[in-house]
Amino acid sequence: MQAASGTKGGSSGSPVVDCQGRAVALNAGSKSSSASAFFLPLERVVRALNLIRDCWDAFGIKSESVYIPRGTLQMTFQHKGFEETRRLGLRNETEQMVRLVSPAGETGMLVVDSVVPEGPAHKHLEPGDVLVHINGEVVTQFLAMETLLDDSVGKEVNLQIERGGVPLTVKLEVEDLHSITPNHFLEVSGAVIHPLSYQQARNFRFKCGLVYVAEAGYMLSRASVPRHSIIKKFAGEDIENLDDLIAVISKLSRGARVPLEYVKYTDRYRNKSVLVTIDQHGWYAPPQLYTRNDATGLWNAKLAIPLESPFVVSHRAGHMDANLNSVSPLTESSPMDLKCQHESENTADGCVKMQTDEEIAVDGSHSGEDSIIEKKRRRVDEEIAAEGTISSFGDLDDIKDGALRHPSSVEGSDLARTISSNASLAEQVIEPALVMFEVHVPPICMLDGVHSQHFFGTGVIIYHSDCLGLVAVDRNTVAVSISDIMLSFAAYPIEIPAEVVFLHPVHNFALVAYDPSALGAGASVIRAAKLLPEPALRRGDSVYLVGLSRSLQATSRKSTITNPCTAVNIGSADCPRYRAINMEVIELDTDFGSSFSGILTDEQGRVQALWASFSTQLKYGCSSSEDHQFVRGIPIYAISQVLEKIISGTPGPFRLINGIRRPMPLVRLLEVELYPTLLSKARSYGLSDNWVQALAKKDPVRRQVLRVKGCLAGSKAEKLLEQGDMILAINKEPITCFLDIENACQKLDQSIDSDGVLNMTIFRQGKEIDLIVGTDVRDGNGSTRMVNWCGSIIQDPHSAVRALGFLPKEGHGVYVARWCHGSPVHRYGLYALQWIVE
């Protein structure tokens, strides 16, 4: 029923009453563009109510569940006027008969609009058929048709129709609508998959029961499988129903990459094929099968696959291997001391074993196998000494002679890329060290304010040996450690997984590890780049900007340094996330745009800087903002220093990398955000001429002084340094740039008697003050703990939150990184732990 009642949204479900207060309809919807509202008649509601009452009366108590018969022929009708039915071929005598037996005022008849494939009416009825009789009774209204079908579930009905003026009689079996309405679904890696319901089958023109993706979740969305897809094949096997899909999943191990074919209703005649990576790191629980319990109204969950299936066994084995893997502490062996003992026990699918929270420890324990480990240490030391820490792809003389080719004697060299002689010398040398990143962040692990779930970027291999490969990349490509990373190599056509092993807390770079054994024959044609941290780049120097296109083609151009020491100034985003602070970057006269990342090399292909992508947020007015990125060069010395510590085995927290526990370096920091001020401005603030001259003499290029923008909450400098302080000297040595402070912090680590404090001279409100300021030691792990509770993600306050300058006193609080919809807790809120517990 339609009425001009002008009801608004939110009133659906309310009763429609007559003048005597009797409910006659249900408010079902309205048109926002007009005052029209639509009311649902109550005849079928009364039928359902009576069936429930009869059931209760029969049992004497309220039954837990009541069956309400619903019949269907898996087809839809439309009510069309007699003028339209005549055009469809309805005979005059049939129309006259219908008018005669129908109630006064009847204006039309029911016409078949659609038929669901492989349903009861499929191949029997067609769109345009005019319904005349059901079981000998003239039916022209939906209510009468529904009544006949609901009362005939499991029985056959005779339909008399006219098709183009030709009378036809068909016999169809009425199907139970409940049987084709899903009462169970599969949840795997965040995806919700269930048999295709009648309602969606009618919309999509597919048959009921097909495997339907209601929500893609993480695993399927990572492979670009959209919602509303129909899965046709998985891992090479045909998928006809949900049981087929569960059977295939139970055979797969975590980390396996298998093909999946699907079809979309918008493009039903073409199957699409993608590669799906089975949840490797255990971000999600094993597949769960949820079944609706009509007695309780709840959905009961159970494990969808057997406990002995490879999917579950591989998940448990990964944790067991991590717990069983133990090595001597760093005093007995360095990270490079352990040769790849996992080569013989590596996983069959070539996937890298990844680290779990339990595998991070600041200290190790003696395993009782000192002699064995010592032998391994000596053997690996010899190999590292012979191999060197970094190497170029080929000899420079070979490159000058012509096109650079991989040695034909190497197995698989026919797949290695031949580098054109038209490319620059730097491009020819460095291309075998370039890597394309594809990074996915699971939705349930959106920590540290990460602003996207999908990233692309270019990295450079800085270490490559038989048991470990390391790649440097910017933190706008690898933002958080909880990521799924796939590497594609420019030198060899292969894609392998990788893991984050180091996130620099200040500088905009991360180190990612891969397993060289997963490269197969490609391991011998891939090389690490040569790093050239000294001499530092200067204004006017020529460099080569080299990177990769999405097709893994190396691209380069010769550019000139316009400014080698521009201070980065990135403001806080609406959602606090990592931003580069206290670092200088390199600017070029020409580049390839804001989305092109890569490296800067000299003419011989030696890496002098990482051409990195930086994330920022542009704000428009008071309320709107937009994510933005730009590219600048990061001098390679910072990366080189971390690499040297990893190779030398500097003490630090252990990480499990390629099945071996290795110590990662710690970083000593002055946790203060600084910014440069010109000496001419500093003089106006009252800085003495002596200090102006001393700072200008120390650094005649920059001619600046560093000022305090703010201290990170919870840092040792928080109570000592104030906003606006000018840092003049550390240990009586003038300070003019961020590198000076980093070097002062590194000297503390090198000193045996160091107590971790800096003797600083600052200028505050017209006075010179000497202070003893403590430093903080941070690791490169990023956030390692979180609580996922009712859809909310709760973690410790990360550095970007601490940079805002506040932490609650009670245990420094917890940070709500993401929240579930409907929760009164504000996103990005910081709450005292005690308050949350209460």
Side-chain angles (χ1 to χ4, degrees):
M1 295 181 288
Q2 183 177 357
S5 62
T7 55
K8 303 298 182 183
S11 61
S12 296
S14 60
V16 180
V17 298
D18 62 8
C19 58
Q20 300 181 26
R22 296 173 299 184
V24 296
L26 197 70
N27 191 0
S30 63
K31 280 186 177 181
S32 58
S33 59
S34 66
S36 297
F38 301 95
F39 304 144
L40 183 69
L42 297 181
E43 287 87 351
R44 309 310 290 166
V45 176
V46 172
R47 169 182 176 267
L49 177 61
N50 290 334
L51 287 173
I52 294 175
R53 285 175 172 173
D54 293 343
C55 182
W56 288 357
D57 293 340
F59 286 94
I61 58 174
K62 292 183 179 180
S63 178
E64 292 182 342
S65 63
V66 178
Y67 175 71
I68 309 294
R70 297 290 307 279
T72 181
L73 297 175
Q74 292 195 32
M75 55 183 292
T76 57
F77 289 91
Q78 280 190 347
H79 188 273
K80 294 184 179 292
F82 286 116
E83 291 185 359
E84 182 68 21
T85 58
R86 290 190 210 108
R87 297 191 189 100
L88 294 173
L90 183 69
R91 297 178 301 168
N92 289 332
E93 56 268 29
T94 304
E95 179 181 339
Q96 293 302 321
M97 182 272 296
V98 171
R99 286 180 179 272
L100 182 63
V101 300
S102 298
E106 180 59 72
T107 60
M109 300 175 67
L110 297 180
V111 178
V112 176
D113 179 59
S114 66
V115 178
V116 174
E118 300 190 26
H122 186 229
K123 296 183 179 180
H124 296 286
L125 298 179
E126 298 177 359
D129 291 348
V130 180
L131 178 64
V132 181
H133 296 93
I134 297 181
N135 288 343
E137 180 181 341
V138 174
V139 176
T140 61
Q141 294 292 324
F142 293 115
L143 179 60
M145 181 191 66
E146 286 187 42
T147 302
L148 287 170
L149 294 181
D150 289 347
D151 294 339
S152 304
V153 175
K155 303 176 184 177
E156 290 186 341
V157 293
N158 293 315
L159 274 70
Q160 293 179 338
I161 63 171
E162 284 198 10
R163 180 180 299 166
V166 179
L168 295 173
T169 300
V170 296
K171 182 177 291 186
L172 303 177
E173 182 178 352
V174 179
E175 193 170 9
D176 185 1
L177 181 60
H178 297 296
S179 67
I180 54 176
T181 301
N183 66 343
H184 61 283
F185 66 87
L186 175 70
E187 186 179 62
V188 52
S189 294
V192 176
I193 305 172
H194 60 72
L196 186 66
S197 67
Y198 163 66
Q199 288 77 13
Q200 290 292 58
R202 177 171 56 84
N203 293 332
F204 298 161
R205 301 296 192 268
F206 285 125
K207 72 174 184 178
C208 292
L210 295 177
V211 180
Y212 169 71
V213 179
E215 289 290 341
Y218 176 58
M219 182 179 73
L220 295 183
S221 63
R222 180 182 173 188
S224 300
V225 178
R227 294 177 57 194
H228 311 310
S229 300
I230 302 296
I231 298 176
K232 307 295 287 186
K233 280 189 175 182
F234 193 41
E237 299 189 25
D238 291 331
I239 304 298
E240 296 292 338
N241 50 55
L242 194 60
D243 291 336
D244 291 345
L245 179 64
I246 294 174
V248 173
I249 293 176
S250 65
K251 301 175 185 177
L252 302 175
S253 300
R254 287 184 178 269
R257 305 193 75 199
V258 293
L260 180 145
E261 287 187 18
Y262 70 93
V263 64
K264 298 192 300 181
Y265 72 95
T266 56
D267 194 9
R268 64 180 58 246
Y269 300 110
R270 289 189 294 183
N271 287 2
K272 295 178 172 58
S273 181
V274 296
L275 273 178
V276 173
T277 303
I278 305 302
D279 187 10
Q280 178 179 350
H281 301 146
W283 308 128
Y284 294 85
Q288 300 282 324
L289 186 65
Y290 289 82
T291 303
R292 187 183 68 237
N293 187 331
D294 292 329
T296 62
L298 303 177
W299 291 79
N300 299 330
K302 68 175 183 178
L303 192 64
I305 56 180
L307 291 174
E308 63 274 10
S309 64
F311 191 101
V312 178
V313 171
S314 62
H315 178 59
R316 292 199 306 242
H319 289 288
M320 291 177 63
D321 291 342
N323 293 331
L324 293 175
N325 179 29
S326 61
V327 298
S328 296
L330 193 63
T331 55
E332 298 293 335
S333 62
S334 71
M336 298 300 172
D337 292 339
L338 300 176
K339 186 60 178 171
C340 307
Q341 74 260 25
H342 71 299
E343 288 179 354
S344 61
E345 57 190 34
N346 212 356
T347 54
D349 53 14
C351 293
V352 180
K353 296 178 182 178
M354 306 300 283
Q355 169 207 3
T356 61
D357 290 342
E358 292 81 10
E359 292 155 1
I360 300 177
V362 176
D363 204 353
S365 59
H366 291 277
S367 62
E369 301 177 357
D370 296 342
S371 60
I372 297 177
I373 293 176
E374 180 62 24
K375 291 179 181 178
K376 292 181 179 180
R377 185 190 65 79
R378 287 197 297 267
R379 184 168 68 250
V380 178
D381 282 344
E382 294 171 359
E383 294 182 3
I384 292 176
E387 179 187 78
T389 59
I390 48 182
S391 62
S392 64
F393 180 75
D395 293 334
L396 188 60
D397 294 335
D398 295 337
I399 300 172
K400 291 179 179 178
D401 291 340
L404 179 60
R405 296 180 181 273
H406 299 270
S408 59
S409 60
V410 177
E411 180 185 355
S413 61
D414 54 334
L415 295 178
R417 171 172 293 165
T418 299
I419 304 175
S420 172
S421 58
N422 294 330
S424 65
L425 179 63
E427 181 181 325
Q428 295 179 44
V429 173
I430 202 61
E431 184 177 5
L434 295 181
V435 175
M436 177 63 72
F437 278 76
E438 184 176 4
V439 182
H440 293 266
V441 181
I444 64 170
C445 302
M446 298 286 284
L447 296 176
D448 297 352
V450 60
H451 59 287
S452 178
Q453 296 180 18
H454 194 194
F455 298 91
F456 280 98
T458 301
V460 59
I461 301 173
I462 59 174
Y463 185 86
H464 181 77
S465 68
D466 291 338
C467 58
L468 178 64
L470 292 175
V471 185
V473 68
D474 60 71
R475 288 197 60 179
N476 196 32
T477 301
V478 176
V480 291
S481 59
I482 303 182
S483 305
D484 282 315
I485 301 174
M486 298 301 296
L487 302 181
S488 298
F489 295 80
Y492 193 78
I494 194 171
E495 187 180 33
I496 63 172
E499 59 176 314
V500 182
V501 296
F502 185 83
L503 294 169
H504 200 285
V506 175
H507 293 296
N508 182 31
F509 74 86
L511 299 185
V512 173
Y514 63 88
D515 186 358
S517 66
L519 294 171
S524 59
V525 297
I526 291 170
R527 296 289 185 268
K530 284 187 177 179
L531 307 185
L532 188 64
E534 297 292 341
L537 290 170
R538 297 176 297 177
R539 187 191 305 271
D541 286 350
S542 294
V543 293
Y544 285 87
L545 169 58
V546 189
L548 292 177
S549 65
R550 288 292 178 88
S551 59
L552 294 182
Q553 295 288 335
T555 305
S556 67
R557 75 185 307 162
K558 192 173 183 179
S559 300
T560 302
I561 304 294
T562 57
N563 193 338
C565 53
T566 301
V568 172
N569 181 20
I570 301 176
S572 296
D574 294 337
C575 169
R577 65 184 187 227
Y578 167 79
R579 58 188 178 92
I581 61 172
N582 298 352
M583 63 179 298
E584 294 179 337
V585 294
I586 300 167
E587 293 182 340
L588 300 179
D589 59 343
T590 56
D591 55 34
F592 289 109
S594 61
S595 60
F596 183 88
S597 59
I599 52 175
L600 302 181
T601 74
D602 64 1
E603 292 184 350
Q604 300 180 28
R606 295 175 296 185
V607 179
Q608 295 176 289
L610 184 70
W611 192 245
S613 175
F614 291 76
S615 174
T616 184
Q617 194 173 73
L618 299 180
K619 298 186 178 181
Y620 306 98
C622 300
S623 57
S624 61
S625 58
E626 181 179 290
D627 288 330
H628 178 69
Q629 65 180 23
F630 62 92
V631 284
R632 296 291 187 272
I634 302 175
I636 203 65
Y637 69 81
I639 299 175
S640 178
Q641 289 174 351
V642 174
L643 176 61
E644 182 180 351
K645 291 180 180 180
I646 294 175
I647 295 174
S648 62
T650 301
F654 281 92
R655 292 185 68 98
L656 189 72
I657 306 175
N658 299 344
I660 302 174
R661 296 179 68 204
R662 306 177 187 272
M664 291 290 107
L666 297 170
V667 181
R668 185 174 293 277
L669 302 169
L670 178 66
E671 287 202 315
V672 177
E673 185 174 355
L674 305 169
Y675 67 97
T677 297
L678 295 175
L679 290 178
S680 57
K681 296 284 186 182
R683 188 191 298 271
S684 300
Y685 281 100
L687 187 63
S688 66
D689 290 341
N690 291 337
W691 273 112
V692 171
Q693 295 175 9
L695 295 174
K697 182 179 180 181
K698 167 70 185 306
D699 194 340
V701 175
R702 294 179 176 83
R703 304 174 68 86
Q704 66 185 22
V705 63
L706 296 181
R707 301 189 69 186
V708 175
K709 187 175 183 179
C711 297
L712 273 67
S715 66
K716 296 181 180 178
E718 181 182 16
K719 303 298 183 182
L720 299 173
L721 296 178
E722 299 179 2
Q723 184 176 355
D725 287 350
M726 297 183 187
I727 299 179
L728 304 179
I730 295 178
N731 296 330
K732 306 303 180 181
E733 291 291 332
I735 297 297
T736 60
C737 62
F738 305 123
L739 182 59
D740 291 342
I741 295 181
E742 292 181 21
N743 291 336
C745 292
Q746 289 185 11
K747 288 180 180 179
L748 295 178
D749 290 333
Q750 298 168 0
S751 174
I752 300 176
D753 300 330
S754 170
D755 53 1
V757 298
L758 298 174
N759 296 319
M760 304 181 66
T761 301
I762 66 170
F763 181 77
R764 178 187 298 168
Q765 297 179 358
K767 298 180 181 179
E768 294 179 19
I769 303 175
D770 291 328
L771 294 175
I772 297 178
V773 181
T775 57
D776 294 274
V777 177
R778 302 298 176 192
D779 58 35
N781 294 328
S783 296
T784 58
R785 300 175 64 216
M786 57 165 276
V787 174
N788 196 313
W789 173 61
C790 296
S792 299
I793 297 177
I794 304 170
Q795 64 172 104
D796 289 325
H798 56 93
S799 58
V801 176
R802 296 170 53 236
L804 299 178
F806 167 76
L807 287 177
K809 295 181 180 179
E810 300 85 355
H812 285 176
V814 293
Y815 177 67
V816 181
R818 298 179 76 87
W819 86 114
C820 58
H821 293 288
S823 170
V825 179
H826 193 276
R827 189 182 184 186
Y828 322 134
L830 197 59
Y831 297 89
L833 182 60
Q834 181 181 0
W835 184 88
I836 287 185
V837 171
E838 291 176 352

